[in-house]
Amino acid sequence: MPFQLKHEQIVFSGIKPSGRLNIGGYIGSLSQWAEMQEKYTCLFCVVDYHAITVKQKPSDLEKWTLELVKTYLAAGVNPKKSILFRQSDLSAHTELAWILNCTAHMADLKKMTQFKEKSLGQKETVSVGLFTYPVLMAADILLHQTDIVPVGEDQKQHVELARDLAKRFNNEYGRVFEIPESVVRKNGARIMSLQDPFKKMSKSENGAGCIDLLEDIEEARKKIRRAVTDSGNQIKYDKKNKPAISNLLTIYSHLSRRSIDEIEKEYEGKGYGDFKKDLEGVVVDFLSAFQKNYNKISDQEALKILEAGRERAEEMAQKTLVKVKKLIGIK
Ligand code: ATP
Ligand code: LTN
């Protein structure tokens, strides 16, 4: 039975199965998804071809993929409302990526901050895949005629590139792609390391500055206790002068679903000690509830959901790819 589009506008997002998602990725991106599925037709993808742009152990890829699907579900993504699928299940993604590689310019990709950061120190041995990574991401987005892309701050530039490639292709060959827009949280789009408020909390960092969604609860407690703070003792959101406390306030606010204003008021006259003790509670409550949801889902269920998602996602993908190929003169 063909999948009926329930809502007019289309949302697409994805995460790499390259390790465990941390609370930064949750706050910046994943936490927006469940809400969006009530208003939009949503496609949420496990982007395994993106994961292999840096070395991965082959035997880990399937494990991380299933973990990620379960993570999506535990965060409230509902497979009855949204399409969950694996990027490599649809060859249209890599096919369109190749075509868009021929639309992208070297200069477009040389500007990409993520590539510059990730290739630092690797020089000539960095994979070409890491360089063209944003083109594959553009293919993911454009293939499904996406309107909205919820991501963290670090991916905004890649969505910008997807927009540019869509416009360039449409101008050159004829209108085929929607022009997507990123949706980035006003506050929380860049959660910083608990050990260094000038460094992004990141999956690949994985140290004391980063809390995974599946983190051992006692470990998580320790990481909050050890989190760095700023000079002074006031609990005040001030990114410039109090970057560490501002980051902790942002985490507190998102995980407890309370506004920063409200939290600041509650801690007027109190010090960092009280605040961090309560933050520990907020993080532990959040992680416990999340992990309880996560543990209810089996690998078999996750696999079934991916299989159903593949069928649904295939339709739109093929429609777009057929049009694109015709426009460029390939049968
Ligand atoms: P890596 O560091 O290995 O590149 P990552 O931790 O950035 O991985 P991704 O899979 O690349 O994880 O990111 C998943 C999503 O979460 C993306 O939309 C990304 O922008 C967002 N995200 C990742 N880290 C953060 C963060 N610290 N704050 C806010 N959003 C984040
Ligand atoms: N590059 C993103 C993951 C990603 C993505 C996408 C996000 C791949 N394709 C399409 C949104 C839309 C990352 O590193 N987090």
Side-chain angles (χ1 to χ4, degrees):
M1 195 178 76
F3 180 64
Q4 298 290 319
L5 292 183
K6 281 221 195 81
H7 307 282
E8 222 174 280
Q9 287 207 299
I10 297 176
V11 166
F12 186 103
S13 198
I15 299 177
K16 291 171 292 190
S18 55
R20 290 191 164 153
L21 193 70
N22 62 55
I23 57 171
Y26 173 81
I27 293 172
S29 184
L30 180 59
S31 65
Q32 303 187 63
W33 299 5
E35 242 171 75
M36 287 185 154
Q37 63 190 353
E38 306 304 330
K39 281 202 345 226
Y40 306 106
T41 293
C42 294
L43 292 105
F44 298 123
C45 187
V46 175
V47 289
D48 48 354
Y49 276 136
H50 276 105
I52 63 162
T53 52
V54 296
K55 280 264 170 294
Q56 299 292 335
K57 218 164 120 194
S59 58
D60 277 351
L61 211 52
E62 180 77 357
K63 180 184 88 182
W64 293 131
T65 296
L66 296 182
E67 247 196 33
L68 202 50
V69 173
K70 296 198 272 180
T71 299
Y72 290 0
L73 299 171
V77 171
N78 180 344
K80 293 201 175 99
K81 296 180 179 167
S82 301
I83 303 172
L84 269 86
F85 74 106
R86 178 183 358 217
Q87 187 184 35
S88 64
D89 277 341
L90 264 63
S91 56
H93 282 250
T94 37
E95 253 185 276
L96 182 62
W98 178 256
I99 296 168
L100 292 177
N101 266 326
C102 303
T103 293
H105 299 164
M106 287 296 285
D108 297 325
L109 300 184
K110 278 186 180 166
K111 284 193 300 211
M112 296 294 125
T113 314
Q114 182 174 295
F115 176 74
K116 286 192 230 165
E117 285 172 3
K118 292 210 171 194
S119 60
L120 218 65
Q122 289 190 59
K123 290 200 176 143
E124 297 298 300
T125 56
V126 64
S127 79
V128 175
L130 194 68
F131 186 64
T132 63
Y133 173 117
V135 179
L136 177 58
M137 179 163 162
D140 297 339
I141 296 168
L142 301 181
L143 195 57
H144 297 277
Q145 303 295 344
T146 304
D147 299 285
I148 298 162
V149 189
V151 280
E153 167 74 31
D154 61 323
Q155 297 301 314
K156 221 172 137 183
Q157 193 185 30
H158 291 163
V159 181
E160 245 348 274
L161 176 77
R163 287 171 65 85
D164 292 346
L165 295 183
K167 287 182 197 159
R168 198 179 293 161
F169 190 97
N170 284 352
N171 277 338
E172 201 169 334
Y173 296 103
R175 193 174 159 74
V176 58
F177 296 126
E178 273 307 316
I179 312 297
E181 258 182 69
S182 58
V183 169
V184 172
R185 283 197 184 283
K186 269 209 187 84
N187 185 26
R190 193 172 172 83
I191 298 296
M192 310 311 274
S193 160
L194 301 174
Q195 289 297 312
D196 180 353
F198 299 102
K199 236 171 99 186
K200 190 188 87 150
M201 185 184 282
S202 139
K203 208 186 262 171
S204 25
E205 178 193 351
N206 224 5
C210 173
I211 296 180
D212 291 335
L213 289 171
L214 300 179
E215 185 95 43
D216 173 79
I217 299 292
E218 284 316 306
E219 266 309 302
R221 281 188 193 281
K222 277 190 215 153
K223 288 183 180 180
I224 294 291
R225 271 181 229 150
R226 285 193 219 127
V228 298
T229 48
D230 310 290
S231 52
N233 59 2
Q234 239 192 331
I235 314 301
K236 186 110 202 77
Y237 188 92
D238 177 350
K239 239 174 160 174
K240 193 161 163 248
N241 299 307
K242 281 180 169 278
I245 288 295
S246 302
N247 188 43
L248 296 181
L249 264 169
T250 304
I251 295 173
Y252 194 130
S253 160
H254 280 283
L255 300 189
S256 66
R257 293 173 175 264
R258 291 173 59 197
S259 75
I260 295 210
D261 271 359
E262 200 186 324
I263 303 166
E264 278 178 345
K265 280 203 186 88
E266 184 179 331
Y267 290 94
E268 262 172 31
K270 297 186 183 170
Y272 290 163
D274 290 325
F275 173 71
K276 274 177 72 176
K277 196 155 179 281
D278 292 350
L279 176 60
E280 196 183 305
V282 165
V283 170
V284 165
D285 286 351
F286 168 79
L287 290 181
S288 307
F290 186 90
Q291 292 174 11
K292 200 170 151 206
N293 283 340
Y294 179 95
N295 288 326
K296 283 187 202 149
I297 311 153
S298 69
D299 285 357
Q300 283 76 4
E301 274 175 86
L303 275 169
K304 265 198 198 145
I305 287 167
L306 283 181
E307 184 53 30
R310 182 185 64 74
E311 277 177 35
R312 288 160 142 200
E314 186 83 54
E315 249 181 82
M316 175 65 91
Q318 278 307 327
K319 246 196 217 164
T320 306
L321 188 65
V322 166
K323 279 191 212 158
V324 168
K325 282 172 134 179
K326 203 167 162 203
L327 284 170
I328 60 172
I330 285 179
K331 281 239 171 176

